[in-house]
Amino acid sequence: MKSINKTKEWKKLESLSKKMSKKHIYDMFKEDKDRYKKYTIDLDKLTFDFSKNRIDEKVFNSLIDLAKSAGLQEKIEEMFCGEKINTTENRAVLHTALRNRDNHPIFVDDEDVMPEVNNVLKRMKDFSDEVRSGEWKGHSGKKIKSIVNIGIGGSDLGPVMAVEALKPYCKKGLDMHFVSNIDGTHMIEVLKKCKPDTTLFVVASKTFTTQETMTNANTARKWLIDELGKTAVKKHFVAVSTNKEEVKKFGINVKNMFEFWNWVGGRYSMWSAIGLPIMIAIGWDNFEKLLEGGNAIDKHFRTTPLENNIPVIMGLLGVWYHNFFGAESYAVLPYDQYLHRFPAYLQQADMESNGKGVRFDGKYLDYQSGPILFGEPGTNGQHSFYQLIHQGTHLIPCDFIAPIHSHNETGNHHEILLANVLAQAKALMKGKTEKEAEEELIRMKKNKEDIALLKKHRAFSGNRPSNMILVEKVDPFTLGMLVSLYEHKIFVQGVIWQVNSYDQWGVELGKQLANQILPQISAGKNVKTSDNSTKNLIKKIRKARK
Ligand code: F6P
């Protein structure tokens, strides 16, 4: 396998990056009146403007050539067709099948997965209809008022993000809660808001062995049984999992289990039965729109030539900055309060997928792979970390996401919000020269010494890249589009970096060590740890907790 950084396409980009370092995005706008048109794609209810990037035609074409040399088009087909592209776990990667709304057959091990996908969706629909209508009664004959999803990572972040994002579509009178952290505080604080006879727990775990989820589920079960007795479990607990045996062992009837499959990665699973709390909250019709939005991007991704393909371009722009300009991080900045958990959701999607240091063929990478992703909803971020993005020494490419219409058009809030998002993108790109800063200070009637010092502090280099993603409104369809866009952007980068985006061995070591340390803290076992720091910390904790 030829390393991507040894290809002629990569070398060409290296030399272009040197030339591009001398160019300013703002000047490129002045030189080309059509720049916005050239570098903007409209798709359905979404607009992707990537004109404020350090690219020109040569760079853009060379990035596309890099994608071609990495065999991206063929790899896209492999994914959609159910090839086992998760090579270290020998699994297909088929979250796209979960939103395959035309229902064309998709085969894994010679079996069409669509009948089962549709069967589970139908069961989810029937169940969520029952809960929403009040037909599903708790042990003491009362309607369900609180749903508590117990899961972590991919079994939590997608549902919580989507339920928050789609709050205007959520059923009134149904309170949605999410417990993920092993810290007992998380569970206890949620239980304070619930009553046993009107609460339904959804235990969501692909493996049904995850320490946090099983510990939380056991605590919830005890809370319920203490109040209502053991027979209440069947009316107050359902499971979402791939592991029937463990679900049975926990005591949940498999009739109340919603299945998914090993070809659905945890962080790509909100479209599967893991989305059950989303469906309960927003109802089947809206959930279907979410799937349709995801599917619209799938079709775009699979069929559109690379040069007009939004996730491809997003992925390549990331590669451009991470590998040729030394950018190590990446900010996703949603200007919609309902999307406040979107960056957290993407942190897992992106960093668990592409935070890898070994190539497909087992060789270590000698170039940078997945970036550090962070973000906060605008305008909060502006009053927090934007300082560093504007004037700091790091190059941080940004994605701004904004809806044209708000669900809450109160006064001129939304116009102010929109003005801010456009202003931030412009400020990053244009900057402010020392001369402009100086003129400003003169207008402010500052003295000469102050001006000489302050003009540097008040200048902005600009030339800092960003993408702008506008959607009509944050609704189920556009949310589906957004999530699917980022899933495919991550795929594109994984292909270029030659890493398996679908395993997550990096989370295992900590889990193993926690299992070794636990008995040393709780069961008073001899403290046997190879390093002095861990040993002394365990001793200190034990002594204090005696
Ligand atoms: O953090 C590791 C991980 O395996 C994630 O990939 C996954 O989303 C999460 O744990 C939860 O796993 P499970 O759904 O099996 O409980």
Side-chain angles (χ1 to χ4, degrees), residues 281-294:
I282 66 174
W284 163 256
D285 289 350
N286 284 318
F287 192 83
E288 194 179 27
K289 289 194 186 111
L290 182 81
L291 298 179
E292 284 165 3

Side-chain angles (χ1 to χ4, degrees), residues 120 123-124 127 136 148-150 200-208 213-214 217 233-234 236-260 273-277 280:
V120 174
R123 289 188 55 231
M124 288 166 67
F127 180 71
W136 179 276
V148 181
N149 189 75
I150 304 177
L200 177 77
F201 293 97
V202 178
V203 185
S205 173
K206 183 171 170 179
T207 53
F208 230 72
T213 301
M214 298 331 294
V233 171
K234 66 175 180 297
H236 294 269
F237 273 83
V238 297
V240 178
S241 188
T242 58
N243 191 342
K244 256 190 198 148
E245 289 318 305
E246 288 297 325
V247 170
K248 271 195 236 162
K249 264 196 231 161
F250 181 83
I252 295 177
N253 190 329
V254 285
K255 273 195 209 143
N256 294 334
M257 166 180 166
F258 299 86
E259 208 181 357
F260 63 116
I274 288 292
L276 184 65
I280 295 175

Side-chain angles (χ1 to χ4, degrees), residues 7 28 42 50 65 77 106 139 154 202 210 213 216 220 223 234 261 264 352 355 386 413 445 449 455 459 471 512:
T7 60
M28 292 193 279
D42 285 303
F50 61 105
D65 289 343
E77 269 318 288
I106 300 173
H139 182 67
V202 178
T210 303
T213 301
N216 280 326
W223 175 82
K234 66 175 180 297
W261 309 274
V264 183
E352 200 168 75
Y386 278 35
H413 284 246
K445 307 215 178 328
E449 275 155 29
K455 67 178 184 188
V471 291
Q512 283 168 5

Side-chain angles (χ1 to χ4, degrees), residues 341-357:
R341 293 297 285 161
F342 197 56
Y345 168 75
L346 288 181
Q347 278 177 341
Q348 187 201 13
D350 205 318
M351 292 161 80
E352 200 168 75
S353 296
N354 285 338
K356 310 282 164 67

